[in-house]
Amino acid sequence: MAGILQVALATLLLLPEATAMHSDCIFKKEQAVCLEKIQRANHLLGFNDSSPGCPGMWDNITCWKPARVGEIVLVTCPDLFRIFNPDQDAGVVSRNCTEDGWSEPFPHYFDACGFDDYEPETEDQDYYYLSVKALYTVGYSTSLVTLTTAMVILCRFRKLHCTRNFIHMNLFVSFMLRAISVFIKDWILYAEQDSNHCFISTVACKAVMVFFHYCVVSNYFWLFIEGLYLFTLLVETFFPERRYFYWYTIIGWGTPTVCVTVWATLRFYLDDTGCWDMNDSTALWWVIKGPVVGSIMINFVLFIGIIVILVQKLQSPDMGGNESSIYLRLARSTLLLIPLFGIHYTVFAFSPENVSKRERLVFELGLGSFQGFVVAVLYCFLNGEVQAEIKRKWRSWKVNRYFTMDFKQRHPSLASSGVNGGTQLSILSKSSSQLRMSGLPADNPAT
């Protein structure tokens, strides 16, 4: 089961293993081929269950054809071992067919195939992969709920509608789509703890993977848009925000559409195998990986440029405070920009896939799943404009509620007639003004 979870976690990483298919899928395909070879061999040799000798078998690593008593069968090392050790010469493993059945393999697979670092999957690995899956499930669920609430707030209050918040809202949507795509992919591919996903090749399954990649790439590009917008805001004094926002939208949603469409088309014609959740072709995978890595690197350069600009602005004579407060504000600004720009992705952007795999899973899947939650809290719930608007609406609601309750106590007949609070207040204001207007002519003759 650990192998299946490892496939799921590796697929979730935007930069998965592109060198080869996962070991479980290799073994499953080798097993299917082996069973076909055994059936053909039994038919040619006339073997059946009652025939003397050793029947053909699959020992979960390689295939052994049927043999007669006293026959020695030689097989080469499985392809999986050559993946991990490409420079190693193909070894040979033998079994002897005895009257008691097959003997043990000689030499041992690990000795003959030169793969000494193999560790069998244990309960510790099962627990580890289950823990990572539970961690990112909680993270994406928390982010989805928080981002949905933030979107409702930003859409509800008109005074919060500006270019900056529109960009934030698009980023929130990309995080929400990413979380939803993860849940859909897990539900479609890994609902059952077995390796059936190796043979899934339906249109719906491939569509899910295309949607998943589109959501992930869009998320990275809207992180890039956030960095580009803030850098442009600091560099240029005057610039048409609405026109820029039009191009930001094209880049944020249009570029991923082009990249994923090209990848899906090439995958369909050149590598239409499985559910497209594994990437045997490195060249094809760079159609998606290249733009993402490029956006991460450009965002990192923008991040450094913004920090330099902030240092210059904080050290200007117009800025008050001593040196310690300057660096404190700089540190605060830097920490706020890290989750917004996705700078933490640069840690493993160019590292090999087989280096620090466990740390990579925890860092990019476990902690990365909470990025949407952090961004929503920092740039919505802790935003001064948002808090001020919510407080204003709260005070307005309390005032309206107070006058409504007071009106019901003073005019119970109107309150019982089904007139609402807003109508009652308007009736009061109109009646009071009419009384004042009608009283003016009566006072004039008296003077």
Side-chain angles (χ1 to χ4, degrees), residues 230-408:
L230 183 55
F231 183 80
T232 307
L233 194 66
L234 293 174
V235 172
E236 296 189 15
T237 305
F238 301 100
F239 70 98
E241 292 190 2
R242 291 189 177 181
R243 189 176 69 184
Y244 274 53
F245 180 72
Y246 172 78
W247 290 107
Y248 291 155
T249 305
I250 293 178
I251 295 173
W253 298 115
T255 306
T257 302
V258 174
C259 296
V260 176
T261 301
V262 172
W263 173 80
T265 304
L266 294 175
R267 188 71 192 257
F268 177 77
Y269 286 104
L270 302 178
D271 190 21
D272 188 15
T273 58
C275 189
W276 297 1
D277 56 332
M278 294 297 170
N279 298 281
D280 299 332
S281 175
T282 305
L284 290 181
W285 181 237
W286 271 99
V287 175
I288 291 180
K289 181 178 178 180
V292 169
V293 174
S295 68
I296 293 174
M297 291 299 100
I298 296 176
N299 231 17
F300 182 74
V301 174
L302 294 175
F303 175 76
I304 299 299
I306 291 173
I307 296 301
V308 172
I309 296 175
L310 289 177
V311 170
Q312 295 174 351
K313 290 182 178 294
L314 291 175
Q315 289 181 345
S316 64
D318 298 334
M319 298 294 295
N322 54 23
E323 185 176 358
S324 61
S325 63
I326 290 176
Y327 286 108
L328 182 62
R329 281 181 290 182
L330 178 61
R332 179 175 176 272
S333 301
T334 304
L335 291 176
L336 290 176
L337 291 176
I338 288 176
L340 184 63
F341 285 12
I343 300 301
H344 57 283
Y345 289 117
T346 59
V347 177
F348 294 102
F350 292 101
S351 63
E353 304 296 338
N354 57 351
V355 174
S356 303
K357 184 178 295 184
R358 289 199 168 195
E359 291 77 7
R360 184 189 184 98
L361 288 175
V362 174
F363 191 81
E364 293 196 2
L365 289 183
L367 300 181
S369 62
F370 287 92
Q371 185 185 5
F373 166 76
V374 175
V375 169
V377 170
L378 291 179
Y379 295 94
C380 181
F381 300 110
L382 297 182
N383 183 279
E385 295 179 0
V386 175
Q387 293 180 347
E389 186 65 16
I390 292 177
K391 290 178 181 179
R392 189 184 69 83
K393 288 291 185 180
W394 173 253
R395 287 194 299 266
S396 176
W397 179 81
K398 289 180 66 176
V399 170
N400 290 334
R401 184 173 181 272
Y402 170 78
F403 281 110
T404 301
M405 296 299 296
D406 182 70
F407 180 81
K408 288 182 178 180

Side-chain angles (χ1 to χ4, degrees), residues 44 116 142 166 180 282 286 291 315 351 396 398 417 428 440-441:
L44 292 175
D116 301 328
T142 305
F166 285 152
I180 293 173
T282 305
W286 271 99
Q315 289 181 345
S351 63
S396 176
K398 289 180 66 176
S417 64
L428 275 176
L440 287 175

